Amino acid sequence: MSGGGHLADVWFRATGLEVVEGSGCTVRTSDGGEYLDFTSGIAVTSTGHCHPEVVAAIQAQAARFIHAQVNCYRHPLLRSLADGLAAITPNEVDTFFFTNSGAEATEAAVKLARQATGRPHVVVFEGSFHGRTAQTMAMTTSKAIYRAGHAPLPSGVFVSSFPHALRWSCDPDAAVERALTDFDRLLRTQTEPAEVAAVVIEPVLGEGGYLPAPTAFLQGLQARCAASGMLFVVDEVQTGFGRTGTMFAAEQAGLAPDILVMAKGLASGFPMAAIGARAELMARWPTGSHGGTYGGNPIGCAAALATIGVLSAPGFLEHVRERGDQLRAGLVHLASDHPEILDVRGPGLMVGVELTDAAIATALVDACRQDGHLLLMTAGVEGNVVRWMPPLVVTEEEMDRALEVFGGALRDLRAFAAVHANGVAS
Ligand SMILES: Cc1ncc(COP(=O)(O)O)c(C=O)c1O
């Protein structure tokens, strides 16, 4: 699909829609259409489009200060946001650096890890997506297109296997054992632990197919990191801020990350990202060795504080878990009648439906948009996963409607396949 006019064509376009406004789970198009947006702009607008408290905070801050550059002077919301994050992130994490995007935050985590340990290497996992800067491209293995034609990439990145019981046709415990064995072998054969600054993992693979890392795997990695001084970096760019039903996915696995990477849901769509670490670790990052013109932007901080306020309201995360249960139950019910669904998985409102092949996943997403005005996206190394990432404020009725549309698309697809199989249509 072409960008058109003076716009670069480099952006992949999942739809041809032109949107003019959004509220809650709904976006409206320039031709008067209305769509249920279960993409959340790729898991970003967790509080819904234009949540009134976030809009009010942005408007008020815009009238006070748009750009208060952090090297030139400090504005009060920097400290407020650091305090706010310290209150909701896993215990050990209490000191924060702000930047603008998930890739920049992940790259900042690597820079901190290298400075703090004096070691050069990074270990990541198959199917990972960490961003599109040179360093994070080198750490991304979910699809070759993100790297192709951009070589040479930075060196020093090693890729270990991610447990995938379904693909490996084994039970989840065996998958964990195999992946940890692979990790240990990598450290014996490719890079010694003493050369590894950071082990970087998404607790649920995002772009790689909404595939949760089993708790035993995450804890096994964390223990190995602690034993040999590799820093355990948890990329919660997509899983953070309530997406998985707790504020951070690390909580569910009982993790204490050395560095926590945050973006997407942090500021409801205002470009804002952060890394957090314990004060002692952050203090090993020499002053002036990293920074950026826009990091800690006052409007971004205001949007983030308002977002944290919404997510922290009593009952909010319970609502996320309930809607997630509703979604998984509906999808499991559909799976019982549709063998093309291989798996329904994922915590909270980060749910993946793995299908037998990519063409089916794409056809379903297209049919949901065209016939049911429901926006979904695909994911996965093979492109055969439909990912569900609605705004966390989604209502029970909106979820029912989305499930109804998806069920209809599955039935239509079956009817279409039957007609073709019988040779009725040309
Ligand atoms: C887990 C993860 N890390 C990093 C990134 C990169 O974030 P950004 O696109 O804001 O640079 C993404 C984006 O999808 C992501 O899902």
Side-chain angles (χ1 to χ4, degrees):
M1 207 173 282
S2 155
H6 297 287
L7 274 179
D9 275 335
V10 69
W11 282 299
F12 162 75
R13 294 179 78 188
T15 78
L17 301 178
E18 183 182 77
V19 294
V20 288
E21 60 180 26
S23 60
C25 293
T26 303
V27 291
R28 290 174 198 87
T29 54
S30 49
D31 59 3
E34 241 185 47
Y35 290 78
L36 198 50
D37 182 8
F38 270 38
T39 72
S40 301
I42 317 191
V44 169
T45 56
S46 298
T47 57
H49 290 285
C50 300
H51 189 288
E53 287 172 38
V54 178
V55 171
I58 289 173
Q59 285 175 334
Q61 183 54 41
R64 277 194 293 264
F65 231 137
I66 293 176
H67 177 61
Q69 208 284 328
V70 74
N71 303 121
C72 300
Y73 23 62
R74 299 282 158 98
H75 64 82
L77 296 189
L78 287 169
R79 190 178 290 258
S80 307
L81 181 56
D83 291 349
L85 287 172
I88 60 168
T89 46
N91 270 345
E92 301 279 302
V93 172
D94 60 3
T95 308
F96 299 89
F97 168 81
F98 299 127
T99 183
N100 313 294
S101 67
E104 286 170 276
T106 308
E107 183 146 356
V110 171
K111 288 177 77 170
L112 167 59
R114 286 185 172 141
Q115 289 272 10
T117 61
R119 303 175 180 188
H121 293 166
V122 176
V123 179
V124 296
F125 297 87
E126 279 171 4
S128 55
F129 186 93
H130 294 293
R132 294 168 180 274
T133 60
Q135 176 64 39
T136 55
M137 228 186 340
M139 296 164 63
T140 288
T141 58
S142 58
K143 283 193 183 75
I145 189 173
Y146 302 134
R147 302 156 63 106
H150 296 127
L153 300 180
S155 61
V157 177
F158 296 80
V159 184
S160 198
S161 54
F162 191 99
H164 199 326
L166 181 65
R167 188 179 305 146
W168 292 348
S169 304
C170 63
D171 67 56
D173 291 346
V176 169
E177 201 180 314
R178 174 171 158 183
L180 286 175
T181 304
D182 287 352
F183 182 79
D184 291 337
R185 189 181 316 108
L186 187 145
L187 294 180
R188 280 199 312 277
T189 58
Q190 298 186 43
T191 175
E192 295 206 334
E195 293 180 307
V196 175
V199 173
V200 186
I201 188 156
E202 296 162 75
V204 180
L205 280 186
E207 167 71 19
Y210 274 30
L211 184 66
T215 295
F217 182 62
L218 292 168
Q219 286 185 348
L221 293 177
Q222 180 170 260
R224 283 159 172 79
C225 285
S228 53
M230 305 178 289
L231 295 182
F232 186 53
V233 179
V234 180
D235 178 347
E236 293 237 28
V237 165
Q238 191 152 168
T239 51
F241 299 97
R243 174 60 48 195
T244 66
T246 49
M247 200 58 91
F248 292 94
E251 291 168 39
Q252 291 172 49
L255 302 178
D258 290 306
I259 307 177
L260 183 71
V261 186
M262 297 161 271
K264 287 196 187 276
L266 165 58
S268 294
F270 199 93
M272 181 80 193
I275 61 169
R278 7 178 236 290
E280 162 274 315
L281 175 56
M282 203 62 104
R284 285 189 257 157
W285 214 1
T287 299
S289 67
H290 191 53
T293 301
Y294 296 110
N297 173 276
I299 301 180
C301 289
L305 281 162
T307 300
I308 293 170
V310 173
L311 303 182
S312 305
F316 188 91
L317 293 174
E318 200 178 6
H319 168 85
V320 176
R321 291 191 288 272
E322 282 169 8
R323 294 290 70 74
D325 289 344
Q326 179 190 359
L327 174 58
R328 275 180 300 280
L331 292 170
V332 166
H333 178 71
L334 288 171
S336 65
D337 198 31
H338 290 276
E340 56 273 43
I341 296 182
L342 299 179
D343 198 17
V344 173
R345 60 183 181 236
L349 286 171
M350 188 168 182
V351 175
V353 178
E354 181 154 347
L355 294 137
T356 41
D357 68 67
I360 294 182
T362 304
L364 285 171
V365 167
D366 287 347
C368 285
R369 183 181 66 256
Q370 282 157 14
D371 305 336
H373 280 208
L374 166 68
L375 303 184
L376 292 166
M377 287 182 90
T378 59
V381 173
E382 323 292 345
N384 63 333
V385 177
V386 174
R387 53 172 151 170
W388 296 69
M389 46 187 161
L392 305 182
V393 294
V394 62
T395 65
E396 189 175 352
E397 295 70 34
E398 287 168 330
M399 189 64 85
D400 276 340
R401 213 168 94 213
L403 283 164
E404 183 58 37
V405 170
F406 190 66
L410 276 165
R411 284 189 295 277
D412 289 351
L413 199 73
R414 173 180 289 175
F416 181 80
V419 166
H420 278 258
N422 292 335
V424 176
S426 60

